[in-house]
Amino acid sequence: MRKDLTAREILAKLVSFPTVSRESNLALVDWVEDYLAAHGVRATRVYNDEGTKAALYANVGPEVEGGVVLSGHTDVVPVEGQAWDTDPYDVVEKDGRLYGRGTCDMKGFDAIALAAVPKALRAGLKRPLQIALSYDEEVGCLGAPRMIAEMAAHLPKAAAAIIGEPSQMKVVNGHKGGIGIATHLRGHEVHSSLMHTGVSAVMEGAKLIDWANRMNAENMARAPGPIDALFEPPWTTCHVGTITGGTADNITAKDCHFVMAFRCIPSETVESWQARYLAAVAEVEAAMRAVHPEARIDTDVRFQVPGLQPERDSAAEALARRITGDNATHAVSYATEAGQFQQAGYSAVIIGPGNIAQAHQPNEWLSLAEFEAGIAFVDRIIEHLCEDA
Ligand SMILES: [Zn+2]
């Protein structure tokens, strides 16, 4: 492998691996590991249970505390059903933009982080740059927690974690938490003329969905606290996007399926909303069982991502603000891995090139100007790591 690859060349390589979340990312991880090895940097893999995907982390520079983590995810969302004008897995430059799946979200930042490694090694770091690349971010931030736990256990503790999700290089210090609970109501089928002897999974499910409506109305009516007010909307939301169930208009439904999804303001934990929902489930289930003993509700937590609690003047925020000069406050309503880093004891902030509006879209793109701004930002982080603490 040629050692002196530019961020642009690394981006082309990363995008060429079709690392849609459901697929293995190991070919990409192999390549990154070889690239780091070519620079004398040893990387550690953290596999999923099946051994089909891996996160990767590495310490670049001295093994001391006080470094900076550059964190990204390697997976991308699918391209099926999207009308692309170019090959999504081939980076095409046109009109000052880099087109390709993941250029914006977020292989652009991954490439910048990797291109920074040889620069960091030449610069004479006093504190390390740490690289953290996860998998399965797009399906509920499932891959990062195990990687973060290993980093916390095996690497010298970094002073700041930069999560390079597209933020147009603005410093984002808060995001909502998220939780999705698959819900399967199992009713009892009878002819609807005798519905008092049956249990309609659909009609019982409607009670839980109406519980969500009531929660939304209550949350919306409450005056937001000062931190909650940073979010749009400034309250926790409960949402059901799809529902299936039932077999005929005149049969009480045997099954009903939906996912109850919450986006939680950081002052309310995902755990507390899970507990409240499961209490509502238990109440509906008891009423179903009173009619038929085999009726029940099964729940399965599909994902659970903690929010990023804004911490004014935290180490990560102070560093990012000093470099960018951005002193405005930005919070976002989508979940990222930043909350997971924070939960593990890292000072974490989101800042990365690109606009989230281009993420997940057909003809996804990252502007060259944003890409260059991201490179310049990481160059300044390297300078910071060369200064005396
Ligand atoms: Zn992302």
Side-chain angles (χ1 to χ4, degrees):
M1 182 186 294
R2 242 181 69 222
K3 283 176 69 177
D4 56 336
L5 296 171
T6 63
R8 174 76 174 73
E9 289 168 327
I10 294 172
L11 176 62
K13 193 69 202 177
L14 296 180
V15 169
S16 75
F17 296 103
T19 49
V20 175
S21 308
R22 64 173 177 268
E23 307 289 348
S24 171
N25 72 339
L26 293 180
L28 181 150
V29 168
D30 285 345
W31 186 87
V32 171
E33 204 171 61
D34 286 350
Y35 168 83
L36 292 172
H39 291 289
V41 173
R42 190 175 51 82
T44 303
R45 295 184 183 205
V46 185
Y47 282 96
N48 64 350
D49 285 339
E50 298 76 25
T52 54
K53 299 172 194 172
L56 173 149
Y57 67 85
N59 188 83
V60 180
E63 303 236 347
V64 298
E65 294 194 347
V68 172
V69 179
L70 300 180
S71 151
H73 59 82
T74 62
D75 58 320
V76 294
V77 296
V79 297
E80 280 85 27
Q82 296 188 333
W84 280 74
D85 297 332
T86 58
D87 177 352
Y89 299 113
D90 184 24
V91 176
V92 174
E93 184 178 331
K94 198 170 138 243
D95 303 329
R97 295 172 173 178
L98 298 167
Y99 288 89
R101 171 54 87 226
T103 50
C104 174
D105 183 16
M106 60 180 288
K107 288 177 171 174
F109 185 80
D110 297 344
I112 290 168
L114 292 170
V117 169
K119 293 187 210 175
L121 290 169
R122 278 195 302 269
L125 298 175
K126 295 209 166 84
R127 282 155 288 132
L129 193 68
Q130 295 179 348
I131 305 290
L133 299 177
S134 71
Y135 61 89
D136 279 355
E137 192 274 347
E138 296 290 2
V139 289
C141 299
L142 304 178
R146 195 179 283 187
M147 170 188 73
I148 297 168
E150 282 216 17
M151 290 175 70
H154 301 301
L155 292 187
K157 183 67 183 293
I162 305 290
I163 288 73
E165 289 281 350
S167 76
Q168 297 179 285
M169 299 311 296
K170 293 193 167 66
V171 183
V172 174
N173 66 0
H175 68 69
K176 288 189 176 181
I179 182 164
I181 304 176
T183 305
H184 179 189
L185 295 97
R186 298 167 187 270
H188 178 62
E189 272 184 320
V190 296
H191 191 272
S192 60
S193 61
L194 296 171
M195 66 176 284
H196 64 293
T197 63
V199 178
S200 166
V202 166
M203 294 182 74
E204 298 299 322
K207 292 179 185 171
L208 290 173
I209 293 171
D210 195 49
W211 172 87
N213 287 326
R214 288 200 311 275
M215 292 303 115
N216 286 329
E218 279 177 26
N219 292 347
M220 191 172 158
R222 209 174 302 125
I227 286 176
D228 302 337
L230 302 173
F231 293 86
E232 172 60 30
W235 62 83
T236 295
T237 55
C238 324
H239 181 252
V240 174
T242 63
I243 182 166
T244 57
T247 52
D249 290 340
N250 60 356
I251 299 174
T252 56
K254 188 157 62 79
D255 296 289
C256 179
H257 296 267
F258 53 83
V259 173
M260 182 67 72
F262 300 85
R263 293 181 187 274
C264 309
I265 48 179
S267 61
E268 297 174 357
T269 64
V270 291
E271 289 84 1
S272 70
W273 277 100
Q274 178 175 338
R276 290 177 77 171
Y277 179 61
L278 294 183
V281 165
E283 204 172 301
V284 172
E285 187 181 49
M288 292 165 70
R289 284 213 167 127
V291 179
H292 196 276
E294 278 167 25
R296 67 172 203 270
I297 306 177
D298 296 330
T299 56
D300 178 32
V301 177
R302 291 283 167 82
F303 63 90
Q304 192 193 76
V305 188
L308 176 66
Q309 181 83 38
E311 291 176 319
R312 190 73 195 171
D313 300 324
S314 71
E317 190 178 317
L319 173 65
R321 288 198 191 289
R322 195 164 72 239
I323 293 176
T324 60
D326 176 16
N327 286 314
T329 302
H330 309 280
V332 294
S333 289
Y334 52 86
T336 79
E337 296 170 347
Q340 295 171 324
F341 272 95
Q342 186 179 59
Q343 199 170 54
Y346 288 85
S347 174
V349 77
I350 302 164
I351 176 169
N355 187 330
I356 194 74
Q358 268 91 50
H360 303 192
Q361 299 297 311
N363 300 321
E364 176 179 348
W365 55 269
L366 175 65
S367 79
L368 280 166
E370 285 279 316
F371 195 46
E372 295 298 331
I375 293 168
F377 175 77
V378 172
D379 285 348
R380 295 284 311 278
I381 288 178
I382 293 171
E383 287 171 20
H384 162 76
L385 292 171
C386 293
E387 292 160 7
D388 290 315

